[in-house]
């Protein structure tokens, strides 16, 4: 049996987080069928990194919540999270209170038998890196568990606040700003005005690799990476829409890109693809004969003209189709990920 520092990275993508959650749920089910294996993802991956919806999933998994429950949380509450929008031009599209209540209650319920306080980053069962962008101080932010001696600033942050910060996608939700108490003290700390980490790292895989290699000193040869996307949308120049039975050609102007926040989706997607390319080059080089520095597995699906899913879709038919895509993807690639887990011990060191 070998030993690898196993990284799980999950992209942002709103409701399309159903794809990684179903893929991971399929993995959990497979692990649960193996004698002596825990089916909790937090018991197998040494670092989980996430952005936006991927950050929410990463936090949930790190508290031992089954991915199947996280997927159901999205599907059952899709209309309360992405329900009737506010004025789309003058205000953020959706109120955040329903999402806040769902996440906060889910995290507390998962930890109710272990702690008697609001779940904090300190309470995670494996290492975490969650992205956000601090617009108050104009700088990227990665919220981290105390998996290194000098990582002390984030450990008392309430997990639900980190989830809301990483998921505050511009135009969908207003920036997150909060306050929390340092644990067992009366000292209050401000959570600065923060938006979705997708504005700089919708695919946070490279952050996770750098955290393991540079932050924790893990040799690249000892790292293995599983990176899961939320779907990559394609565009066609020839697409038309029919209005009153009259075909209208696609006009690539401001209205097209602003409608359904297509420009935001495109920018998040392009960043994810670029990081995927960089990770492939980093892991394996550019030549066929290059020796791999570390194993890198990218799990992704293409959302072509047959299946377009907006980040705030509530269409159950489309979401079911995306769920099925994840099930089929696991049938193709799941055995490789399963073998990575059962053939390699936990790295150790955190949690103690």
């Amino acid at each position: 049996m070998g030993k690898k520092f196993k990284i799980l990275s999950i992209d942002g993508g709103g409701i399309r987080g159903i794809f990684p959650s179903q893929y991971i749920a399929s993995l959990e089910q497979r692990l649960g069928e193996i004698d002596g294996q825990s089916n909790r993802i937090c018991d197998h991956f040494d670092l989980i990194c996430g952005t936006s919806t991927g950050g929410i999933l990463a936090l949930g998994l790190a508290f031992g919540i089954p991915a199947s429950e996280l997927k159901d949380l999205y599907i059952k509450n899709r209309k309360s999270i992405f329900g009737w929008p506010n004025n789309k031009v003058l205000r953020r599209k959706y109120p955040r209170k329903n999402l806040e209540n769902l996440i906060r209650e889910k995290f507390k319920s998962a930890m109710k038998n272990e702690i008697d306080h609001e779940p904090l980053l300190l309470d995670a069962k494996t290492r975490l890196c969650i992205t956000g962008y601090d617009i108050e101080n104009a700088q990227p932010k990665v919220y981290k568990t105390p998996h290194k001696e000098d990582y002390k600033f984030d450990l008392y942050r309430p997990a639900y606040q980190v989830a809301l910060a990483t998921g505050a996608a511009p135009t969908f939700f207003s920036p997150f700003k909060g306050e929390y108490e340092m644990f067992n003290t009366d000292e209050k700390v401000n959570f600065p005005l923060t938006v979705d980490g997708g504005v700089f790292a919708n695919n946070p895989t490279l952050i996770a690799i750098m955290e393991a290699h540079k932050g924790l000193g893990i040799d690249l040869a000892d790292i293995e990476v599983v990176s899961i996307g939320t779907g990559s949308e394609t565009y066609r120049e020839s697409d038309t829409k029919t209005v009153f039975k009259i075909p209208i050609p696609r006009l690539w102007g401001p209205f097209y890109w602003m409608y359904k926040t297509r420009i935001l989706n495109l920018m998040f997607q392009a960043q994810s693809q670029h990081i995927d390319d960089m990770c492939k080059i980093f892991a394996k080089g550019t030549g066929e004969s290059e020796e791999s520095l570390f194993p890198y597995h990218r799990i992704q699906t293409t959302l072509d003209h047959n299946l377009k899913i907006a980040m705030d879709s509530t269409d159950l038919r489309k979401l079911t189709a995306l769920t099925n895509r994840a099930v089929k993807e696991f049938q193709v690639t799941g055995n490789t990920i399963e073998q990575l887990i059962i053939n390699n011990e936990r790295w150790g060191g955190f949690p103690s």
Side-chain angles (χ1 to χ4, degrees), residues 16-28:
R16 298 194 316 228
I18 286 171
F19 180 81
S21 60
Q22 176 57 58
Y23 187 93
I24 296 168
S26 297
L27 176 61
E28 289 174 332

Side-chain angles (χ1 to χ4, degrees), residues 309-324:
I309 304 178
M311 290 189 289
D312 58 346
S313 176
T314 59
D315 187 328
L316 185 58
R317 179 186 63 82
K318 289 186 175 182
L319 300 181
T320 300
L322 186 60
T323 300
N324 292 336

Side-chain angles (χ1 to χ4, degrees), residues 96-122:
R96 183 170 36 232
K97 196 62 182 176
N98 289 338
L99 178 62
E100 177 178 337
N101 291 340
L102 286 168
I103 292 173
R104 193 173 189 179
E105 180 55 37
K106 194 65 177 177
F107 290 174
K108 290 171 71 174
S109 176
M111 300 295 288
K112 65 182 179 181
N113 295 326
E114 300 179 46
I115 57 175
D116 58 1
H117 55 263
E118 188 83 52
L120 311 172
L121 284 191
L122 174 68

Side-chain angles (χ1 to χ4, degrees), residues 72-87:
D72 290 344
L73 189 74
Y74 278 126
I75 291 179
K76 292 177 181 178
N77 298 283
R78 65 192 187 283
K79 291 186 177 180
S80 65
I81 299 171
F82 300 116
W84 292 104
N86 294 305
N87 185 299

Side-chain angles (χ1 to χ4, degrees), residues 129-241:
C129 285
I130 309 294
T131 68
Y133 187 84
D134 176 355
I135 58 174
E136 197 168 307
N137 297 295
Q139 60 184 15
K141 173 65 182 173
V142 179
Y143 304 101
K144 302 178 182 181
T145 45
H147 51 261
K148 194 176 178 183
E149 189 174 344
D150 56 351
Y151 290 178
K152 297 178 180 178
F153 191 74
D154 295 330
L155 74 169
Y156 296 129
R157 291 189 191 272
Y160 83 92
Q161 292 191 6
V162 176
L164 295 175
T166 192
T171 74
F172 288 98
F173 298 103
S174 57
F176 178 78
K177 185 175 178 65
E179 184 182 72
Y180 61 95
E181 291 184 357
M182 295 294 282
F183 189 56
N184 285 337
T185 74
D186 293 327
E187 180 183 355
K188 292 187 180 295
V189 179
N190 287 325
F191 201 124
L193 201 64
T194 304
V195 295
D196 194 311
V199 301
F200 79 98
N202 198 57
N203 176 348
T205 306
L206 201 53
I207 290 173
I209 294 170
M210 290 297 97
E211 179 66 21
H213 182 51
K214 293 295 186 180
L216 297 173
I218 310 296
D219 289 341
L220 289 174
D222 293 327
I223 292 172
E224 188 146 359
V225 181
V226 178
S227 175
I228 310 180
T230 58
S232 181
E233 187 172 345
T234 62
Y235 298 82
R236 299 195 304 177
E237 185 178 4
S238 61
D239 281 357
T240 60
K241 295 193 74 172

Side-chain angles (χ1 to χ4, degrees), residues 3-6 218-224 293-295 347:
K3 192 173 184 181
K4 288 282 187 181
F5 188 91
K6 297 179 289 297
I218 310 296
D219 289 341
L220 289 174
D222 293 327
I223 292 172
E224 188 146 359
L293 292 177
F294 57 89
W347 189 264

